[in-house]
Amino acid sequence: MANTRHLTIAVVAAATLLATSCATQKTAAPPSPQASAAGQPTKGGTLRVVGSGDVDHLDPTSAYYTVTSGLMRSYARQLFQTNGVAGEKETEKGFAVVPDVAAELPSTDNGGISADHLTYTIKLRDGVMWDTQPARAVTAPDFVRGFKRICNPVAGSGAPGYYTSTIKGMAEYCDAYTKAFAKDKPTAAALAAFQNGNDIAGVQAVDDKTVKFTLVQPASDFLNILSLNFASAAPVEYDGYLPDDADFRQHTVSNGPYKVESYVATKSIHLVKNPAWQQDADPIRHQYVDAIDVKMGVAEPDAVQQQIEAGSADLAWDLPVPTSQLPRLKSGDPNYKNFPGSVNNPYIVFNMLSKNENGAMGKLKVRQAVSYAVSKVAIAKVYGGPDVAVPLHHAIPPGNIGSEEFNDYPSPNDAGDPAKCKQLLTEAGYPNGLTLIGAFRNAGNHPANFQSYSADLKKCGITVKGLPVRQGDYYGAFLQNPSIAKDSKWDISAPGWVPDWYGNNGRSISQPLFQTNCTPGTSNFGCYSNPKVDDLIKQALAEPDQTKAAGLWHQVDEQVMADAVMVPLNNQNTPIYKSKRVRNALYLPSFQLYDYTNIWLDPNTP
């Protein structure tokens, strides 16, 4: 998703994290609500969000789709979080980690971080409550429960490696969890019994208000890891359901300003105010609107844009601003903004496990042929051209730690090289071409992406049969399900990747995408595995010197491109549009959308 700046900025961000170990910091409040003719924030009204597909998961442990994570911010809280930003030039302000349920940022001065940086002791703030009957305080054991759910064998987590590579005993706990259900079909009771009967050595509830983490090695990005929705607190009620099954989705429990009142798969999500939530116990969210209403089933960006401009909707859910409308909007519409991005979106990924065409996707020269064939400028035009998307030549986009420009698969003007593609196919044993299955999302710009790259591949003898996948199913139910890959249901596809955080973020790009992981919930969609890459990732994560770490992350980039694991296509900015009545729209860089929990609606604007 589920979801950076140049290397110099990455080093500054790392320095900021180090600074937190030297002095106690106060909570950074969200930017003050934007001034407008309507005056001070007005409470009331329903924020109307319209789009195409469903969530990937409603369970915080498993959700990895950016739009889901953005919505989840309203009902699931973590120890730490980030704030939204008001302007395109303020994006870096949204990189900083701030306390959420934690009472303060831990430091060596306040005793929150040990001198060897291996122990983090986090105090919880008062007043954070579950929407239960009666309301109940969120406690340290709730966070411990949340971490135990990360390795569940039913829905899993998109990036378990963040936790197994940092927290003492987490890898062993996860291995034991997987083995315990290797043969038996899990039940809610059996999962709860395992979780309640087994502990993670490095995650302990010291008391109801204190949770302690013990690390296997210092990790300067540990607070970033604790800010992800995977690390949400989990109420004891979740022991009664299989993770994220249909029953679970009707019984989410909130500790944020809103709660899920109703969920109808593929149709709607309706959230209302959580009466147990207290403003003085939440430093980053508000409860301005009465409700948040998400309507699904509108597949075309033009239809959503039309509704927003007409005032019958406020924000797009999962669809982009229509490409055809960008020239008009960017000429001066005050409700349009274009936030800078440092992302790999979209990119072509290969299913290394596919047996189709005699295992063609497992052959390096076939993947290299595809890498040469695709026109990156044609894909950029789908999104609106160079103002929005620029060709990308390697796996780690500019602005992320370890990114350095190189191009292993050049073509004239980035428009593709069908002759080189044909040559490599012949060398690979396919002189007459081959036929592949291309899975694509059935909404937004994704059908056009598929048409573009499949037309390029056709020029060199590769026929791609399209397999449309529902937008809401694409990640959680399809790409992140290794059994579908093993069954050769797809060969190539074009997902996107937004880093889970920015700054010192090598762990949030290379580890989930390229570290060996072919388990449910994986973000290594094609099940790529290279021991050399795994070792480089391990070295980079253990390297305290950020300059040296950047060099190791760059070696990862070089190796995965040599292996032609993906075809990077574009680095994209994020055009975003809101209705006239939306005020205090704060952009969340990691989610690429506005923060629903800080928006208020101008009652004087239709």
Side-chain angles (χ1 to χ4, degrees):
M1 188 220 357
N3 48 243
T4 326
R5 292 291 165 258
H6 292 289
L7 176 57
T8 53
I9 293 174
V11 173
V12 171
T16 301
L17 281 177
L18 291 175
T20 66
S21 68
C22 302
T24 301
Q25 296 194 12
K26 295 181 179 179
T27 300
S32 298
Q34 300 164 359
S36 75
Q40 293 302 309
T42 300
K43 293 190 175 184
T46 297
L47 180 66
R48 302 159 304 180
V49 187
V50 178
S52 173
D54 206 342
V55 296
D56 58 340
H57 304 279
L58 277 182
D59 189 335
T61 299
S62 304
Y64 214 177
Y65 188 18
T66 51
V67 295
T68 308
S69 297
L71 182 71
M72 202 164 281
R73 185 178 172 96
S74 65
Y75 68 88
R77 295 178 62 180
Q78 299 77 43
L79 291 167
F80 305 95
Q81 253 300 336
T82 56
N83 281 323
V85 297
E88 294 102 322
K89 295 182 180 180
E90 300 176 350
T91 308
E92 293 166 24
K93 295 180 181 178
F95 297 174
V97 173
V98 297
D100 186 357
V101 178
E104 61 183 349
L105 285 176
S107 70
T108 51
D109 282 355
N110 64 22
I113 302 176
S114 62
D116 60 6
H117 289 254
L118 292 178
T119 303
Y120 286 66
T121 303
I122 314 295
K123 296 288 186 179
L124 308 191
R125 69 175 69 246
D126 294 329
V128 182
M129 308 294 287
W130 292 115
D131 179 41
T132 51
Q133 298 298 327
R136 184 179 72 243
V138 174
T139 64
D142 293 330
F143 277 98
V144 173
R145 183 179 299 105
F147 277 82
K148 288 185 175 184
R149 297 179 79 246
I150 286 174
C151 297
N152 78 79
V154 176
S157 167
Y162 291 161
Y163 306 96
T164 57
S165 63
T166 54
I167 298 174
K168 181 180 179 181
M170 188 78 181
E172 293 80 1
Y173 171 86
C174 290
D175 286 344
Y177 205 160
T178 300
K179 290 176 182 177
F181 294 94
K183 296 181 180 179
D184 299 330
K185 185 177 180 179
T187 63
L191 294 179
F194 180 88
Q195 291 172 180
N196 294 328
N198 293 270
D199 292 324
I200 304 168
V203 184
Q204 296 176 303
V206 178
D207 53 43
D208 276 357
K209 302 290 290 184
T210 311
V211 59
K212 183 172 75 172
F213 297 94
T214 305
L215 309 188
V216 294
Q217 62 190 24
S220 58
D221 56 359
F222 190 59
L223 297 187
N224 297 96
I225 295 170
L226 295 182
S227 75
L228 303 178
N229 54 259
F230 311 128
S232 300
V236 68
E237 285 80 2
Y238 284 2
D239 281 358
Y241 307 99
L242 284 173
D244 201 54
D245 72 352
D247 203 17
F248 177 98
R249 293 191 180 196
Q250 299 301 323
H251 295 90
T252 56
V253 182
S254 172
N255 58 7
Y258 297 91
K259 63 177 182 177
V260 179
E261 182 181 63
S262 67
Y263 165 74
V264 181
T266 74
K267 295 185 182 300
S268 65
I269 309 173
H270 189 70
L271 297 93
V272 297
K273 287 184 176 180
N274 174 7
W277 179 84
Q278 302 173 28
Q279 179 67 78
D280 60 3
D282 194 335
I284 63 175
R285 301 170 186 81
H286 290 90
Q287 204 179 55
Y288 292 136
V289 300
D290 289 335
I292 303 169
D293 194 51
V294 180
K295 296 293 186 187
M296 309 168 199
V298 182
E300 295 302 324
D302 283 293
V304 173
Q305 182 69 21
Q306 194 172 50
Q307 290 187 45
I308 296 174
E309 292 196 45
S312 58
D314 296 306
L315 296 171
W317 166 241
D318 59 350
L319 295 176
V321 177
T323 300
S324 62
Q325 302 296 324
L326 293 176
R328 174 179 64 85
L329 298 173
K330 71 182 183 182
S331 65
D333 190 317
N335 297 302
Y336 169 82
K337 288 187 178 179
N338 186 15
F339 288 90
S342 296
V343 303
N344 204 328
N345 184 32
Y347 66 91
I348 291 176
V349 64
F350 303 98
N351 177 8
M352 303 289 193
L353 303 182
S354 174
K355 303 177 185 66
N356 298 330
E357 291 284 6
N358 296 315
M361 292 296 89
K363 298 177 181 179
L364 176 60
K365 288 191 175 182
V366 174
R367 300 195 302 272
Q368 291 176 328
V370 174
S371 300
Y372 276 108
V374 177
S375 172
K376 300 181 180 185
V377 292
I379 294 290
K381 288 179 181 177
V382 171
Y383 288 90
D387 285 346
V388 177
V390 295
L392 184 62
H393 304 126
H394 47 91
I396 301 178
N400 296 281
I401 188 170
S403 180
E404 297 179 28
E405 178 59 25
F406 69 98
N407 189 356
D408 284 350
Y409 309 102
S411 66
N413 301 314
D414 286 309
D417 188 341
K420 184 68 173 178
C421 172
K422 288 180 181 178
Q423 173 195 330
L424 287 165
L425 285 179
T426 299
E427 293 175 7
Y430 299 91
N432 300 316
L434 69 161
T435 298
L436 303 175
I437 300 172
F440 65 93
R441 283 168 276 185
N442 66 348
N445 289 324
H446 307 297
N449 285 341
F450 170 76
Q451 292 166 9
S452 181
Y453 78 71
S454 60
D456 293 333
L457 296 179
K458 187 71 174 177
K459 295 174 185 176
C460 63
I462 300 175
T463 298
V464 186
K465 294 182 177 179
L467 175 64
V469 180
R470 252 185 357 188
Q471 175 101 320
D473 292 340
Y474 180 71
Y475 286 107
F478 190 83
L479 282 188
Q480 292 180 296
N481 184 345
S483 65
I484 291 177
K486 292 174 184 176
D487 289 343
S488 306
K489 298 293 180 62
W490 64 279
D491 296 303
I492 58 175
S493 194
W497 188 258
V498 179
D500 290 320
W501 66 88
Y502 293 89
N504 179 23
N505 72 343
R507 197 192 303 267
S508 75
I509 299 176
S510 297
Q511 186 175 32
L513 292 182
F514 308 124
Q515 188 175 61
T516 300
N517 176 17
C518 201
T519 60
T522 182
S523 296
N524 182 345
F525 306 126
C527 291
Y528 165 72
S529 181
N530 183 333
K532 181 178 180 180
V533 169
D534 291 345
D535 185 59
L536 284 168
I537 290 173
K538 184 177 180 179
Q539 291 181 54
L541 294 175
E543 178 54 64
D545 185 304
Q546 290 302 301
T547 301
K548 292 180 181 178
L552 291 165
W553 290 121
H554 179 61
Q555 289 183 53
V556 171
D557 199 351
E558 291 179 314
Q559 185 61 55
V560 298
M561 292 310 299
D563 290 343
V565 177
M566 61 155 65
V567 183
L569 296 174
N570 291 161
N571 175 25
Q572 285 187 16
N573 293 334
T574 303
I576 190 167
Y577 194 83
K578 65 178 182 63
S579 73
K580 295 178 181 178
R581 69 176 191 152
V582 167
R583 298 289 184 268
N584 202 44
L586 303 179
Y587 180 74
L588 297 164
S590 293
F591 302 148
Q592 295 187 311
L593 43 72
Y594 287 134
D595 182 359
Y596 302 144
T597 68
N598 273 287
I599 284 173
W600 59 277
L601 304 173
D602 184 349
N604 300 313
T605 302

